[in-house]
Amino acid sequence: MKTLLIGLLGMSLAAGVLAHDESKLAQMPPEEPYVQVSDVLPLPEFLPGLGTLFVYPDTLPAGPFLSYDRDGKLSATVYMTPLEELKNGVAYDDLAVGSHEVTAVDIYYNGGHPGVESPHAHVVLFHDKGAKDRLAK
């Protein structure tokens, strides 16, 4: 399991080479095809620890989920990767990132929730030093 998560982290960080206009994602709402998760799933608008989430539905379940603080600033990119799929050899390659600046990474288990019902790993790439604190409140 530990090896899978380390591999996933490596893939996530390598995804930073994908080209996109970060300025269009810096403030919410991001442009289409992203949708606000709370508009399409029975989840609150702001999730403490994750913020206000937007996702491009075609990238589910892994994401990326763009995570915005209460002021609408992009603070993190989140991936939600089902453990069973990883165990069975599914790879999530070339995942996009909201911002190429990453100051910290958290990886943790989640037993499932609307949108990603199966047990999965959350991989959270924080985009600036204060992001984690802003998303916690």
Side-chain angles (χ1 to χ4, degrees):
M1 177 63 67
K2 193 179 219 180
T3 303
L4 288 173
L5 292 177
I6 290 169
L8 176 62
L9 174 60
M11 289 186 305
S12 298
L13 294 176
V17 300
L18 294 177
H20 67 274
D21 184 352
E22 289 184 35
S23 66
K24 292 183 178 182
L25 304 178
Q27 286 292 131
M28 71 176 201
E31 295 180 345
E32 290 185 1
Y34 287 94
V35 297
Q36 189 167 336
V37 171
S38 62
D39 288 345
V40 295
L41 294 172
L43 291 169
E45 183 175 320
F46 188 92
L47 296 160
L50 292 177
T52 300
L53 296 175
F54 287 80
V55 70
Y56 173 31
D58 288 356
T59 66
L60 293 173
F65 293 80
L66 302 178
S67 170
Y68 294 87
D69 66 19
R70 291 192 186 273
D71 292 328
K73 178 182 179 184
L74 179 66
S75 299
T77 301
V78 181
Y79 308 99
M80 301 181 190
T81 55
L83 298 178
E84 189 66 26
E85 290 185 15
L86 292 171
K87 180 180 171 186
N88 291 330
V90 173
Y92 295 98
D93 296 327
D94 300 321
L95 298 172
V97 293
S99 171
H100 295 128
E101 180 179 344
V102 176
T103 59
V105 179
D106 284 358
I107 301 173
Y108 55 90
Y109 172 83
N110 186 286
H113 51 72
V116 186
E117 286 79 10
S118 62
H120 57 279
H122 280 192
V123 179
V124 184
L125 309 180
F126 296 100
H127 297 308
D128 63 75
K129 188 175 180 177
K132 189 173 188 175
D133 289 337
R134 290 193 315 275
L135 294 175
K137 303 172 189 171

